[in-house]
Amino acid sequence: MKYAKLFVLLLLLSGCASKTKRDLPSYPSTKQVDTVNNYFGQTVKDPYRWLEDDRSEETTAWVIDQNKTTYGYLDQITFREDLKSRLTSIWNYEKQGAPFERGDYTYYYKNDGLQNQYVVYRKHESASEEEVFLDPNKFSANGTVSLAGLSFTEDGSLAAYSISEGGSDWRKVIIIDAYTKKQIGDTLTNIKFSGVSWYKNEGVFYSSYDKPEGSQLSAKTDQHKLYYHKLKDNQKVDKVLFGAKAVEKHRYIGARVTDDSDFLIISASNTTSGNKLMIKNMKTNGPIETITADENADLSMLDQKGNTFYFVTDYQAANKRIVKAEYPNLSPSFWTDVIPETENVLSPSKGGGFIFAEYMIDAISKVYQYNYDGNLVREIELPGLGSFGGLSGKSEDEVLYYSFRNYYTPQSTYIFNPNTGVSEKYWSPDIDFNESQYESEQVFYTSKDGTKVPMIITYKKGLERNGRNPTILYGYGGFNISLTPSFSVTNAVWMEQGGIYAVPNLRGGGEYGKTWHIAGTQMKKQNVFDDFISAAEYLIDNNFTSKEYLAIRGGSNGGLLVGATMTQRPDLFQVALPAVGVLDMLRYHKFTAGAGWSYDYGTSEDSPEMFEYLKNYSPVHNVNAGKSYPATLVTTGDHDDRVVPAHSFKFAAELQAKQANVNAPTLIRIETDAGHGAGTPISKSIEQYSDIYGFTFFNMGYKELPNQGVLKKIKG
């Protein structure tokens, strides 16, 4: 064993010796100012505060200079063009979503291959030929205006669709006659964090904030309001139904009209976890009545049949359960279980007169069909181990659809008969990727405090565990969000090059219910970083890879994860790729809807203890002069109004000023007319991942792609 370890070490050293020393690029000058914040009597310097002003000419000039430096560095990586070519080639396949019926038409989303945005098609029940219903590629010349939502009336005669410009969370809503596709009335504007719910064919409910003072992309939005818009009225006369009074102040308010239009269900919350639920009887135009005011639990309506309501909740059920009650007695004391809580996390859907209970078992889907009395009908056989999606529809639907995918299997659609339980493949993609050559294995590793954490590792069959495989460790770990197996074109290209893609299911996520989530929040947030660090150590200890070939990546809360772990354990990673990250933990709640994340994070204003805890891991505040950090490519968008780009700006500036490793660049790539990620045009995604993977391989020491022969063979 001793000699085997020595042999591996010599291999690693020889690999390192062949790498060329690279000087750091000459970074643009970033001025420092004497800004100081005071927290419970303790002062904290904030020298790059001026970068928070996204409207200033100085910030604009800094962005231009940083991008110039970044692309100047990336231009020396000649194989970026090979990556771009392969990404373009593999991305160029038809992609379809599951069909759904509205009125006399069947609708579905489709992308011919390299279209920047998916197109909405439809077929009339009496015709075989499809027609374009909405083509978002015509919303703008460069594909940066995307379709963000689509809602139909119950009879399918009217539709409302929302658009996002440049990736912003602020939306516009356009109402049309679904048959003629002609617009009805004016465009609704300044709508944010909102669906659109129709009330009969008369109008729509939507939610928004008052337009903030200052920058619309970064100013705080704190008071959500529920509006009703009557068809053809001017938006200025829209009435606030809920949220106008100070006592009704909530950061997030949503509404849903029941299928029969008899009731309006209102959800209101102040953080991303837990909500109040209310109901309004639309038949009598009654007052808004409270179902539950406990914001410590999540409660949503699954279905309604007359006066019987079916709810999904984690109230007194950390893994969720389905309950029912009769209107008007809908409060928890009147609930009876339909599907009780189990040891696995429940994610239900409904359609065809049945309830479909999807359970996550170690992040893998299992699906069971129940009737509305809670009696098990059958287990639905899935095509393999992976992630299930769909089987939602109306009670009268005789045909339902679901999707299936995993880390090496592109998403396919299956048709399902809810009465017989028979599934058959409806559509699968014709993609230039041989999934049979790849495999996933799930391992359970031990975190710092002894907790067992699952991780799925995907790679090409026959992989040699020699400690020299380029590896991306991807994580999130927050907001009750579960990372389940999902196919990605970009990951496919990474694995074609012999790369490993590893995804641990960190605490803070929802893979094991509310208990798992809470174990990674507030003053337990360090558990998430420890889980991620332990995942990296597992990959290294088991010779999947080594420090020299290990990159970490994550976006949003995952960007925080990357920022925190690379500053805590800079010795463990070769490359760090924080994307649209929450990186200034002392001020995140000052921007847009950031205060709503306090359930997971706490805020620097909560208490001296919470302030200290946040400061001790906040990436912006834990970059130390003279320390060697991994090669870092920070990515963000100039229109990101969820996690404002100032987080990334300040973190990049700190790293550029203090990085001691002369072989490890710190660059920031700022996409223009782009937001937090949703609706990003395919052309921009291809450019972005060519740069990210090019930077990663280059800083792992590769002068050409590790599996260049594969690309040559594909091209030939």
Side-chain angles (χ1 to χ4, degrees):
M1 179 63 72
K2 178 171 72 176
Y3 296 109
K5 286 182 177 177
L6 179 61
F7 178 69
V8 170
L9 179 61
L10 288 171
L11 280 175
L12 292 176
L13 289 173
S14 66
C16 294
S18 68
K19 295 179 183 180
T20 0
K21 179 179 176 181
R22 297 179 181 84
D23 293 326
L24 292 176
S26 178
Y27 301 122
S29 174
T30 306
K31 74 172 183 179
Q32 298 188 26
V33 296
D34 295 327
T35 307
V36 174
N37 300 314
N38 189 299
Y39 301 93
F40 303 100
Q42 186 177 150
T43 57
V44 178
K45 292 182 179 180
D46 194 0
Y48 303 115
R49 172 80 67 83
W50 62 274
L51 286 169
E52 293 178 1
D53 185 356
D54 56 274
R55 299 181 300 167
S56 79
E57 292 182 4
E58 274 189 305
T59 302
T60 300
W62 185 88
V63 167
I64 292 170
D65 288 344
Q66 288 287 343
N67 270 343
K68 185 177 179 181
T69 300
T70 296
Y71 288 110
Y73 178 89
L74 293 173
D75 283 345
Q76 69 181 302
I77 306 171
T78 55
F79 55 74
R80 276 166 63 231
E81 285 304 312
D82 292 322
L83 285 166
K84 182 178 177 182
S85 174
R86 181 56 184 147
L87 282 164
T88 301
S89 171
I90 194 173
W91 221 310
N92 192 15
Y93 71 96
E94 184 180 294
K95 295 163 275 288
Q96 275 195 35
F100 56 96
E101 292 183 2
R102 296 293 183 269
D104 298 333
Y105 288 90
T106 298
Y107 292 83
Y108 49 95
Y109 289 78
K110 186 173 76 171
N111 190 306
D112 291 341
L114 294 175
Q115 291 174 291
N116 278 320
Q117 305 291 342
Y118 277 70
V119 178
V120 184
Y121 287 86
R122 69 179 179 184
K123 288 181 183 177
H124 192 270
E125 59 184 12
S126 62
S128 57
E129 292 187 4
E130 65 183 16
E131 66 168 323
V132 173
F133 179 64
L134 284 174
D135 185 356
N137 297 290
K138 295 181 178 179
F139 291 171
S140 62
N142 60 1
T144 58
V145 179
S146 60
L147 179 65
L150 176 60
S151 175
F152 289 87
T153 53
E154 191 67 18
D155 65 2
S157 65
L158 300 171
Y161 66 92
S162 59
I163 62 173
S164 168
E165 297 170 314
S168 171
D169 282 329
W170 290 98
R171 308 284 195 244
K172 293 178 179 176
V173 172
I174 298 162
I175 296 172
I176 60 173
D177 181 311
Y179 299 131
T180 66
K181 294 183 275 188
K182 291 184 178 179
Q183 183 169 345
I184 299 171
D186 297 331
T187 299
L188 307 182
T189 61
N190 297 322
I191 296 172
K192 188 173 183 180
F193 295 155
S194 174
V196 173
S197 187
W198 281 95
Y199 176 63
K200 298 182 178 178
N201 288 34
E202 298 174 10
V204 295
F205 290 96
Y206 67 89
S207 305
S208 195
Y209 304 90
D210 293 334
K211 199 166 183 179
E213 295 180 8
S215 170
Q216 190 163 319
L217 292 176
S218 61
K220 192 171 184 177
T221 47
D222 214 32
Q223 170 77 351
H224 222 193
K225 298 177 181 179
L226 176 64
Y227 291 87
Y228 177 67
H229 174 76
K230 192 175 180 181
L231 217 57
K232 297 183 181 178
D233 275 0
N234 190 299
Q235 188 181 5
K236 291 179 180 178
V237 302
D238 289 355
K239 294 180 179 179
V240 178
L241 187 72
F242 183 78
K245 302 172 186 175
V247 293
E248 298 173 343
K249 182 176 179 179
H250 297 91
R251 294 191 181 96
Y252 311 108
I253 298 174
R256 174 184 169 188
V257 179
T258 56
D259 291 344
D260 58 13
S261 296
D262 287 348
F263 298 94
L264 176 70
I265 305 295
I266 302 170
S267 173
S269 59
N270 282 293
T271 66
T272 50
S273 291
N275 65 287
K276 299 175 184 176
L277 200 68
M278 290 152 281
I279 188 169
K280 178 180 172 65
N281 189 324
M282 301 297 287
K283 293 181 294 183
T284 63
N285 194 26
I288 295 172
E289 306 167 73
T290 299
I291 297 172
T292 176
D294 184 1
E295 286 193 62
N296 291 313
D298 289 298
L299 178 66
S300 62
M301 186 186 77
L302 175 67
D303 202 1
Q304 165 256 351
K305 295 178 180 294
N307 284 342
T308 305
F309 285 79
Y310 297 82
F311 300 110
V312 184
T313 185
D314 59 13
Y315 177 73
Q316 297 181 347
N319 292 333
K320 294 188 180 178
R321 58 180 170 142
I322 297 175
V323 299
K324 69 177 179 179
E326 297 289 322
Y327 180 81
N329 300 314
L330 301 179
S331 61
S333 60
F334 295 100
W335 294 350
T336 57
D337 281 356
V338 177
I339 300 179
E341 180 189 18
T342 70
E343 62 181 355
N344 299 305
V345 182
L346 170 66
S347 300
S349 56
K350 53 94 178 178
F354 295 94
I355 295 171
F356 299 96
E358 178 191 0
Y359 290 98
M360 267 187 297
I361 302 176
D362 300 327
I364 303 297
S365 294
K366 273 196 174 288
V367 185
Y368 299 89
Q369 181 178 351
Y370 289 86
N371 63 26
Y372 273 77
D373 292 323
N375 298 317
L376 177 65
V377 177
R378 61 176 63 88
E379 179 181 354
I380 296 172
E381 255 188 68
L382 298 179
L385 297 179
S387 299
F388 157 93
L391 282 185
S392 60
K394 297 179 180 179
S395 295
E396 61 270 22
D397 289 346
E398 296 180 0
V399 170
L400 300 172
Y401 299 88
Y402 69 87
S403 64
F404 178 82
R405 71 269 184 204
N406 58 34
Y407 286 120
Y408 55 87
T409 303
Q411 180 166 303
S412 294
T413 304
Y414 292 78
I415 193 167
F416 177 77
N417 185 318
N419 296 308
T420 64
V422 174
S423 287
E424 58 185 70
K425 188 175 283 188
Y426 172 78
W427 179 87
S428 60
D430 181 14
I431 181 174
D432 182 19
F433 177 74
N434 188 351
E435 64 181 84
S436 66
Q437 294 182 1
Y438 298 85
E439 62 183 334
S440 291
E441 64 172 296
Q442 186 173 56
V443 301
F444 291 82
Y445 64 90
T446 304
S447 190
K448 183 178 180 180
D449 65 356
T451 300
K452 291 290 184 183
V453 181
M455 174 165 58
I456 296 178
I457 309 169
T458 307
Y459 47 79
K460 200 166 191 177
K461 291 177 180 176
L463 177 90
E464 185 181 352
R465 293 196 195 178
N466 56 16
R468 289 180 290 147
N469 298 299
T471 299
I472 289 178
L473 178 63
Y474 180 88
Y476 190 79
F479 295 91
N480 203 34
I481 290 172
S482 303
L483 295 187
T484 57
S486 182
F487 181 79
S488 161
V489 166
T490 57
N491 293 339
V493 170
W494 175 262
M495 291 188 296
E496 279 184 341
Q497 292 302 310
I500 293 173
Y501 186 69
V503 182
N505 297 110
L506 312 171
R507 279 175 284 186
E511 292 86 352
Y512 294 103
K514 194 167 186 176
T515 304
W516 193 252
H517 174 209
I518 291 173
T521 61
Q522 297 199 22
M523 294 182 79
K524 297 177 182 177
K525 188 67 179 176
Q526 184 60 40
N527 286 336
V528 185
F529 312 139
D530 290 341
D531 289 355
F532 202 52
I533 289 167
S534 296
E537 291 173 335
Y538 178 92
L539 292 168
I540 292 169
D541 292 345
N542 288 273
N543 290 326
F544 283 99
T545 191
S546 60
K547 181 265 182 189
E548 287 77 11
Y549 297 94
L550 181 57
I552 49 174
R553 177 162 170 77
S556 195
N557 174 73
L560 163 63
L561 173 70
V562 172
T565 51
M566 68 175 280
T567 51
Q568 291 182 13
R569 286 294 306 275
D571 60 301
L572 199 55
F573 317 108
Q574 184 70 12
V575 178
L577 304 165
V580 293
V582 188
L583 298 163
D584 183 345
M585 298 308 298
L586 300 186
R587 287 180 58 76
Y588 77 86
H589 58 295
K590 301 288 186 182
F591 307 105
T592 62
W597 312 335
S598 60
Y599 184 95
D600 263 57
Y601 297 147
T603 77
S604 56
E605 297 169 356
D606 288 348
S607 68
E609 294 77 18
M610 192 74 249
F611 154 68
E612 285 288 350
Y613 193 88
L614 289 166
K615 184 169 74 71
N616 285 340
Y617 76 76
S618 175
V620 164
H621 300 92
N622 284 279
V623 180
N624 297 315
K627 197 169 233 181
S628 292
Y629 294 99
T632 304
L633 180 61
V634 181
T635 52
T636 189
D638 66 348
H639 276 62
D640 190 345
D641 49 3
R642 193 171 307 176
V643 180
V644 295
H647 285 275
S648 295
F649 296 172
K650 292 164 82 171
F651 187 56
E654 290 283 354
L655 281 168
Q656 288 179 354
K658 297 174 180 176
Q659 169 71 285
N661 188 343
V662 296
N663 289 313
T666 294
L667 301 172
I668 181 166
R669 185 187 187 280
I670 306 150
E671 189 70 72
T672 55
D673 289 327
H676 200 59
T680 301
I682 285 177
S683 57
K684 283 183 180 284
S685 294
I686 289 172
E687 294 280 356
Q688 184 183 57
Y689 278 94
S690 301
D691 293 343
I692 290 170
Y693 288 168
F695 178 89
T696 301
F697 281 128
F698 191 63
N699 282 282
M700 288 178 175
Y702 292 98
K703 298 175 185 177
E704 64 174 22
L705 289 172
N707 210 358
Q708 186 74 21
V710 168
L711 293 186
K712 289 176 181 175
K713 185 178 178 182
I714 290 167
K715 287 178 182 177

